[in-house]
C-alpha cells in the first residue's frame, strides 16, 4: 500500500465513545442516589436492546458486525436515551425508544457516521409524542416520596407495572420541577411562591440539581480529554442563561432565574453529551457556536411558551436539520484567501 | 539591529499542525560521510526528469565518454533543469528505467558506467559580482540547481529579479519538520559557512532587503552554527528559531510563522515580496558559483532499520539499495520510504537511483510502519479540521472526493491542500484522507486537461468548417464572375444586386455540381486503390463517413484543393 | 389585499426583468459536455450537430461512446432526464488514442487530411503526412479513407507525466457472516 502518512496518532472511535460513557458515570451515580437503582435496570435494558438491534441490522445490511458493535456508539445512544427517560419507565417504553433510535434513526440512514439526527433524541421525541403521559410522569426523588420504593419494588414496577400493595402511583410520582413551574404559572401563581414547593431545591429541582451537577463534572472531563470542544456547551449554556436572564430581569414574578434553568431538566446532559454528538452536529468552530446557541434559545422558548415542559429534544432535532446549512455558511478562511 | 529585532519580535503561527514523534536522534549521531567513487564498474542512473518542468534535452550519445560534472542533458527552456555526470565514465544506455516516483512507472534515464578515475571536467569559479546577473542565472540553469527541499523547482526561475514583484525578504528554510529527516540539520551543522556564501549570492541576485533563516527549535546545534556563520557575513542574516510543529517547514507555513504574512492562494510568494529556498539549495548555489561544481551529489538521510543510520553525501544516480547496504541495511525483502513518514512514498523498487529530490530513505517500512487498522466511517469529529495547517475542512473534502463530486471539492479549496498528512494523522477512523485528496486532484487535473483539449478541438473544428464555407463561397464568387463576364453585362450586376444574388446562387450551384463531378472523377481514380485490399467492413465505414460528411455539406469540397 | 397583490406582482415582474438569466443556449451547454472528438459515432457529422439534435429532441443522450458513461450522466443531469447506458450500436468506449501515420508507407494522397475534423494532420500532396499528436482527438475518421492503411491508432500510454493517483481501496470488506 503506497500512501502517506505512514504514522497516525489518534484515539480510536471506540476510545472516544468509551470516554463518553465514562464521563456519564458520575451523573449515573448521582441519579441512583437521588432516584434509586431503577435507572440501572433501564440502562441495562437499553444497552441490550441497542446492541442486539444493531447486530441484527448490521447483519441484514451485510456489514461487518464486530468493528461496529465494538465502536461503542450504540451504547452511547442507549445510555443517553435511558438517562433522558423517566427513571421508572416501563420496560417496553425503553425497548421501543431504543429500537427507534438504533433501527430508524441510525441504521436505516447508513449506520455510524451517516445519521443526520441525534438517534437518542429521535427515540426520545418519538416516545414523548406517542406516550406523553408516561413520559412526563417522574417519580419524586427518594427523599421526597411518601413511600420510597426499594430496588426490588422498582424492578417489579418497571417490568410488571405493578406497585406494592397499598401504594398508589400518585404517591410515588410527581411532576418535574419544570413541568410544575409551567402548570402553576398557568394558574397565575408567582414564581417565588411556586418555588417554595418541596420539589424545588436550592437552585434547580430538589435532587435533580445534584444529577445535573454531576453531568457538568463529566462534561468538563470530556473537554479536558479533548473529546468534545468547548464551543458547544459554552454557547448552549450561555444562550440559555442569557435568555433566562433577560426574561427574569424583565419580569421576575413570571420567569424563573437563569440558575434554575441551567440546573433543571436535561440542561447539562444536553450541553455536554447530546448536542456534542459530532455526527449530527456542525464541524466548523463558528458553526458550533451558532448551532449550540440556537438550541439554547429554542430550548428556553419551548420551556416557557411551548407545549412540552422541556424542549431539548425538539431543539436539537430542529438544529440537526440546519447543520449542512450552518456548515456551508461558516467555512473558516483558508490560508492565502481573503475572507 | 535587524537581527535583534527579529529575535524580539513575536513569531506568528498557522492553524493546527501536529507533533509526531521526531526520530531524528538516530541519524544525527555521526557526521556526514562522503561517498567517493572508487569502483570502476559502478553504474549510475540519471533520470532526465529530476525537477519540475520540461524533461531535460539530451546532449550525449550512447558510447560517449564523459567527465565528472560534464553536462549530459541541458535545461529545455526556462522551466527545466540540467543533468550532469556524477563521475567520469561511459554512457551505456539512454532508455526508460524505474525512477523514484509514486507511480512506479519507468521514465527516460541515462545510464553511466564509471571508469573509476573520477576525473573532473574543467570547471572554474565565477566572480558573480563582476558579471551580469543574467550570466549568473544562466550558470544556475546550466548547473542543474533545483530546490532540494523536495519540490525540485528550478532555482534560476525563482532567483530572477522581476520588476513587477520585487522581493524584499529572502527566507531560508532550515525548519526540516518531517520526522526522521536530518539532512538539512547536518548540513547546517557542518557546512554553515558555505550555506551562508550561497545565501549571499541569492541575496545579491534578488537584491533583497532582509534575509531570515528559519530553524525549528529541535536543532540547537544547527541554529548555533548558522548564527556563527551568519555573524561573519557581510550581509545581514537573521537566524530565527521557530517552535517545532509539523508542518512548519512547508514554505507557506514558514512564511506565515516568520513574517505573519500569507502567500496568496494559487500564486507565488513573490506577490507579497517573499522568496523562499531550502538551505541545501543555497549550499549548491555556492558550490556552483564559487567552485564551478554543478549539482552531482546531495546529502541523504538513511535511517530506519539500518546498522549505521546517518547522513551520506551521495553522488546522484547511485542505486538506493547500494546506499542502504553501505549504511548496513537490508536490500531484499523489505521496502523503503523516500522522504519522511508524513509525506513520503514507498519506492517502487529498492534499486531506483538517488535523485535530487531524495532527502531521506527510511529502510524497513513494513516493520516500522505497520498497516493501519481498517478505516471506519467518518464521525465528523473535525479533529482533521483542527489539525489542518491551511484551515481546510478535510471531512467535507473527503466526502466530496469520495463521491467524485469534484466541482464541490474545488469549491472547498481542494487545491490549497498541501498534502501534509496532518488530517490523516489525527483521524480516529483511520481514513486515508490525503489519498482521497490526491485522487481527486489528479482526476480534476485530468478533467481540466480533457476540457482544454475539447475546447481546442471545438475551435479547430469550427475553424475548419468556417474555412470550408469560405472556400466554397470564394469558388462560387469566381464562377459567378465568370458567368457574369460571359454575358458581358457586368454593369447590370451592379445595378441590380437582387438579380446578381440569384445569379450568384446559380453560379454556386454550378460550381457545386462541377466540384462534385470532379470529386467523383477523383474518387474513381483513387477508389480502385482503396477497394483492392480493404475489407467490406472498411468499405461500409467509408460509406458511412461519406454519408455523414455529405450530410454536413462537406462532400463537394473534398478533393477540390488537392492540386492547388 | 388587492394592493398587496399588485405590489408583489410588480416586485416579481421587476425581479424577472432585472435578474433575467442570460444563460447559454441549450445547444452550447450540451456541446460543452460532449468530448469534441468530432468522430461521428453518434450518427451526426460532429459534436455540434449532435448537440443540436439532442436539444431538438431528435437524438438520444446515449449515443456518444467517447464521452463515456460520465458523459451520459452529465447530459442526463443537464437535461433532467433519466440516465441510460450507452447505445452499443454507436460503438463502445475505448481508451484515448492518437492516430499515428507510418511515414514509410504513406503515399501523400491527402485523403486523411481532408477527413480530419480538427486539421490535426500536416502534409501536402505527394508528401508524406504526419499527425500533430496533441491536436488529435482520436476520432478514427482518417483510418477508413487511407488507401494504403498506413494509419494506426495508438492508445496513449501511462507515464509519470499523465499518471493519476488511484481511488483509495475501501478497507471495510463486506463480510458474509
Amino acid at each position: 500500500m503506497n500512501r502517506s502518512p505512514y504514522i497516525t496518532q489518534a484515539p480510536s472511535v471506540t476510545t472516544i465513545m468509551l470516554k463518553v460513557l465514562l464521563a456519564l458515570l458520575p451523573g449515573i451515580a448521582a441519579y441512583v442516589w437521588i432516584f434509586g437503582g431503577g435507572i440501572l435496570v433501564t440502562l441495562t435494558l437499553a444497552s441490550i436492546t441497542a446492541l442486539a438491534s444493531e447486530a441484527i441490522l448490521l447483519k441484514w445490511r451485510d456489514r461487518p458486525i464486530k468493528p461496529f458493535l465494538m465502536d461503542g456508539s450504540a451504547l452511547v445512544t442507549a445510555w443517553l436515551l435511558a438517562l433522558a427517560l423517566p427513571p421508572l419507565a416501563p420496560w417496553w417504553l425503553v425497548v421501543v425508544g431504543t429500537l427507534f433510535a438504533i433501527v430508524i434513526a441510525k441504521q436505516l440512514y447508513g449506520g455510524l457516521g451517516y445519521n443526520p439526527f441525534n438517534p437518542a433524541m429521535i427515540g426520545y421525541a418519538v416516545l414523548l409524542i406517542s406516550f406523553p403521559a408516561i413520559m412526563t410522569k417522574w417519580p419524586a426523588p427518594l427523599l421526597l416520596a411518601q413511600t420510597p420504593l426499594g430496588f426490588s419494588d422498582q424492578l417489579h414496577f418497571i417490568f410488571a407495572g405493578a406497585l406494592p400493595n397499598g401504594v398508589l402511583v400518585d404517591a410515588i410520582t410527581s411532576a418535574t420541577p419544570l413541568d410544575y413551574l409551567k402548570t402553576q404559572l398557568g394558574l397565575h401563581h408567582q414564581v417565588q411562591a411556586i418555588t417554595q414547593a418541596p420539589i424545588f431545591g436550592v437552585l434547580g429541582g430538589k435532587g435533580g440539581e445534584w444529577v445535573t451537577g454531576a453531568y457538568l463534572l463529566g462534561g468538563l472531563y470530556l473537554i479536558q480529554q479533548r473529546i468534545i470542544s468547548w464551543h458547544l456547551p459554552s454557547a448552549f449554556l450561555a444562550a440559555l442563561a442569557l435568555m433566562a436572564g433577560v426574561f427574569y430581569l424583565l419580569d421576575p414574578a413570571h420567569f424563573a432565574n437563569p440558575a434554575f434553568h441551567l440546573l433543571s431538566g436535561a440542561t447539562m446532559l444536553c450541553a455536554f453529551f447530546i448536542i456534542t454528538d459530532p455526527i449530527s452536529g456542525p464541524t466548523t468552530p463558528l458553526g458550533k457556536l451558532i448551532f449550540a446557541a440556537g438550541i439554547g434559545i429554542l430550548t428556553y422558548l419551548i420551556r416557557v411558551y411551548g407545549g412540552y415542559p422541556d424542549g431539548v429534544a425538539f431543539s436539537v432535532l430542529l438544529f440537526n436539520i440546519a447543520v449542512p446549512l450552518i456548515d456551508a455558511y461558516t467555512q473558516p478562511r483558508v490560508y492565502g484567501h481573503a475572507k | 539591529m535587524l537581527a535583534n529585532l527579529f529575535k524580539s519580535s513575536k513569531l506568528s503561527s498557522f492553524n493546527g499542525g501536529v507533533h509526531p514523534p521526531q526520530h531524528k536522534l538516530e541519524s544525527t549521531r555521526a557526521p556526514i560521510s562522503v561517498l567517493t567513487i572508487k569502483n570502476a564498474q559502478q553504474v549510475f542512473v540519471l533520470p532526465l526528469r529530476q525537477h519540475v518542468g520540461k524533461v531535460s534535452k539530451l546532449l550525449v550519445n550512447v558510447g560517449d565518454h564523459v567527465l565528472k560534472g560534464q553536462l549530459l542533458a541541458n535545461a529545455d527552456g526556462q522551466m527545466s533543469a540540467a543533468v550532469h555526470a556524477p563521475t567520469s565514465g561511459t554512457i551505456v544506455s539512454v532508455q526508460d528505467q524505474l525512477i523514484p516516483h509514486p507511480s512506479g512507472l519507468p521514465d527516460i534515464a541515462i545510464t553511466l558506467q564509471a571508469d573509476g578515475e573520477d576525473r573532473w571536467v574543467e570547471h572554474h569559479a565565477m566572480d558573480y559580482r563582476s558579471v551580469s546577473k543574467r550570466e549568473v542565472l544562466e550558470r544556475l540553469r546550466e548547473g542543474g540547481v533545483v530546490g532540494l527541499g523536495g519540490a525540485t523547482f528550478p532555482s534560476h526561475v525563482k532567483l530572477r529579479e522581476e520588476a513587477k514583484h520585487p522581493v524584499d525578504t529572502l527566507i531560508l528554510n532550515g525548519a526540516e519538520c518531517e520526522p526522521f529527516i536530518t539532512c538539512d540539520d547536518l548540513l547546517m551543522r557542518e557546512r554553515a559557512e558555505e550555506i551562508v556564501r550561497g545565501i549571499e549570492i541569492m541575496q545579491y541576485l534578488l537584491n533583497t532587503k532582509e534575509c531570515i533563516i528559519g530553524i525549528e527549535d529541535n536543532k540547537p546545534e544547527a541554529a548555533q552554527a548558522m548564527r556563527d556563520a551568519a555573524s561573519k557575513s557581510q550581509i545581514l542574516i537573521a537566524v530565527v528559531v521557530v517552535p517545532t510543529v509539523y508542518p512548519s517547514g512547508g514554505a507557506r507555513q514558514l512564511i506565515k510563522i516568520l513574517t505573519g504574512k500569507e502567500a496568496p492562494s494559487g500564486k507565488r510568494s513573490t506577490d507579497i515580496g517573499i522568496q523562499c529556498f531550502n538551505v541545501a539549495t543555497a549550499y549548491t548555489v555556492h558550490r556552483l558559483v564559487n567552485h564551478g561544481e554543478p549539482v552531482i551529489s546531495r546529502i541523504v538521510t538513511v535511517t530506519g532499520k539500518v546498522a549505521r543510520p546517518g547522513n551520506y553525501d551521495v553522488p546522484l544516480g547511485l542505486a538506493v539499495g547500494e546506499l542502504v547496504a553501505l549504511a548496513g541495511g537490508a536490500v531484499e525483502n523489505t521496502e523503503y520510504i523516500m522522504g519522511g513518514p508524513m509525506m513520503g512514498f514507498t519506492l517502487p523498487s529498492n534499486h531506483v537511483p538517488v535523485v535530487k529530490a531524495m532527502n531521506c530513505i527510511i529502510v524497513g517500512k513494513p516493520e516500522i510502519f505497520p498497516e493501519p487498522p481498517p478505516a471506519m466511517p467518518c464521525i465528523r469529529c473535525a479533529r482533521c479540521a483542527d489539525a489542518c495547517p491551511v484551515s481546510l475542512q478535510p471531512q467535507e473534502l473527503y466526502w466530496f472526493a469520495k463521491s467524485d463530486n469534484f466541482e464541490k471539492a474545488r469549491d472547498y479549496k481542494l487545491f490549497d491542500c498541501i498534502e501534509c498528512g496532518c488530517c490523516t494523522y489525527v483521524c480516529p477512523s483511520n481514513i486515508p484522507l490525503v489519498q482521497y485528496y490526491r485522487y481527486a486532484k489528479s482526476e480534476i487535473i485530468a478533467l481540466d486537461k480533457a476540457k482544454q483539449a475539447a475546447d481546442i478541438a471545438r475551435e479547430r473544428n469550427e475553424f475548419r468548417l468556417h474555412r470550408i464555407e469560405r472556400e466554397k463561397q470564394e469558388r462560387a464568387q469566381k464562377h459567378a464572375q465568370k458567368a457574369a463576364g460571359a454575358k458581358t453585362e457586368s454593369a447590370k450586376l451592379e445595378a441590380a444586386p437582387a438579380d446578381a444574388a440569384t445569379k450568384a446562387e446559380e453560379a454556386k450551384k454550378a460550381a457545386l455540381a462541377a466540384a462534385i463531378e470532379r470529386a467523383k472523377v477523383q474518387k474513381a481514380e483513387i477508389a480502385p486503390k482503396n477497394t483492392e485490399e480493404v475489407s467490406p467492413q472498411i468499405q461500409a465505414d467509408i460509406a458511412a463517413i461519406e454519408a455523414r460528411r455529405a450530410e454536413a455539406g462537406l462532400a463537394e469540397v473534398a478533393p477540390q484543393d488537392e492540386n492547388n | 389585499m388587492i394592493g398587496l397583490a399588485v405590489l408583489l406582482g410588480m416586485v416579481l415582474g421587476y425581479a424577472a426583468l432585472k435578474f433575467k438569466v442570460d444563460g447559454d443556449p441549450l445547444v452550447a451547454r450540451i456541446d460543452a459536455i460532449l468530448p469534441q472528438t468530432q468522430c461521428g459515432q453518434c450518427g451526426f457529422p460532429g459534436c455540434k450537430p449532435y448537440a443540436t439534435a439532442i436539444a431538438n429532441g431528435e437524438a438520444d443522450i446515449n449515443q456518444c461512446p467517447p464521452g463515456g458513461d460520465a458523459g451520459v450522466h452529465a447530459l442526463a443531469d443537464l437535461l433532467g432526464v433519466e440516465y441510460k447506458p450507452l447505445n452499443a450500436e454507436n460503438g463502445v468506449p475505448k481508451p484515448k488514442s492518437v492516430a499515428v501515420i507510418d511515414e514509410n508507407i504513406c503515399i501523400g494522397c491527402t485523403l486523411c487530411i481532408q477527413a480530419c475534423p480538427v486539421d490535426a494532420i500536416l502534409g501536402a500532396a505527394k508528401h508524406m503526412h504526419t499527425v500533430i499528436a496533441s491536436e488529435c482527438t482520436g476520432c478514427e475518421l482518417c483510418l477508413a479513407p487511407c488507401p494504403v492503411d498506413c494509419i494506426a491508432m495508438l492508445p496513449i500510454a501511462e507515464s509519470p507525466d499523465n499518471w493519476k493517483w488511484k481511488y483509495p481501496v475501501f478497507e471495510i470488506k463486506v463480510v458474509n457472516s
Side-chain angles (χ1 to χ4, degrees), chain B residues 49 102-103 105-106 375 402 435-436 438-439 442-443 446 451 454 456-458 460-461 464 467 548-549 552 558, chain C residues 31-32 35-36 38-40 45 114 116-119 135 137 141 159-161 163-167 170-172:
Chain B
R49 202 197 311 259
S103 68
L105 292 168
K402 193 182 163 190
Q435 201 61 21
Y436 279 99
R438 290 184 184 127
Y439 157 75
S442 55
E443 286 297 321
K451 181 105 187 75
I456 292 171
R458 182 186 296 115
R460 292 179 73 94
N461 180 243
R464 178 172 187 268
R467 191 196 73 216
R548 268 181 241 142
R549 298 172 81 239
Chain C
D31 195 39
Q36 304 301 324
Q38 317 291 351
C39 61
Q114 292 147 28
C116 180
V118 291
D119 291 343
E135 312 293 354
T137 65
L141 290 183
S159 75
D161 228 11
W163 166 82
K164 293 192 286 182
W165 283 95
K166 303 290 175 288
Y167 191 85
F170 208 67
E171 274 80 3
I172 292 183

Side-chain angles (χ1 to χ4, degrees), chain B residues 523-549:
Chain B
K523 250 306 130 50
E525 282 168 11
I526 296 157
K529 276 189 255 167
N530 206 1
T531 43
E532 265 161 22
E533 292 162 342
V534 294
S535 65
Q537 177 57 44
I538 291 175
Q539 279 182 12
D541 283 352
I542 296 170
I545 289 164
E546 285 302 328
R548 268 181 241 142
R549 298 172 81 239

Side-chain angles (χ1 to χ4, degrees), chain B residues 141-164:
Chain B
R141 195 175 82 98
E142 282 194 359
V145 178
V146 298
L148 293 184
T152 61
F153 193 93
S155 298
H156 61 270
V157 179
K158 284 169 75 177
L159 284 167
R160 212 165 35 201
E161 249 185 311
E162 279 176 51
K164 213 169 94 194

Side-chain angles (χ1 to χ4, degrees), chain C residues 3-133:
Chain C
L4 191 68
V6 171
L7 182 74
L8 288 178
M10 280 164 66
V11 169
L12 281 175
Y14 174 74
L17 289 177
K18 169 102 189 176
F19 302 110
K20 193 171 172 195
V21 183
D22 292 324
D24 297 319
L26 188 57
V27 174
R29 284 166 71 189
I30 297 173
D31 195 39
I33 292 173
L34 298 176
Q36 304 301 324
T37 39
Q38 317 291 351
C39 61
Q41 289 182 72
C42 51
F44 295 88
C47 296
K48 191 84 168 270
Y50 178 42
T52 315
I54 295 178
N56 296 337
E58 291 157 8
D60 218 333
I61 58 169
N62 61 347
Q63 294 173 217
C64 176
D69 237 18
V72 185
H73 274 293
L75 287 174
D77 281 351
L78 174 67
L79 302 168
V81 296
E82 201 68 27
Y83 160 82
K84 49 180 85 173
L86 276 172
N87 189 343
E89 284 175 25
N90 298 99
V92 286
K94 292 178 204 165
K96 174 129 174 53
S97 308
V98 290
V100 177
I101 296 176
D102 186 334
E103 292 167 2
N104 296 322
I105 304 177
C106 176
I107 53 169
C109 69
T110 76
L111 285 180
C112 56
I113 297 182
Q114 292 147 28
C116 180
V118 291
D119 291 343
I121 304 179
L122 276 184
K126 305 202 174 82
H127 289 84
M128 60 88 166
H129 308 326
T130 189
V131 177
I132 314 169

Side-chain angles (χ1 to χ4, degrees), chain B residues 127-181:
Chain B
D127 181 7
Y128 61 91
R129 287 175 196 277
S130 66
V131 296
S132 72
K133 287 185 180 179
R134 264 182 80 126
E135 274 175 72
V136 184
L137 291 172
E138 187 51 31
R139 173 171 273 217
L140 292 176
R141 195 175 82 98
E142 282 194 359
V145 178
V146 298
L148 293 184
T152 61
F153 193 93
S155 298
H156 61 270
V157 179
K158 284 169 75 177
L159 284 167
R160 212 165 35 201
E161 249 185 311
E162 279 176 51
K164 213 169 94 194
H165 296 296
V167 176
D168 299 327
T169 309
L170 176 65
I171 290 180
L172 268 295
N173 190 341
E176 200 167 59
C177 58
E178 268 241 32
F180 287 91
I181 309 176

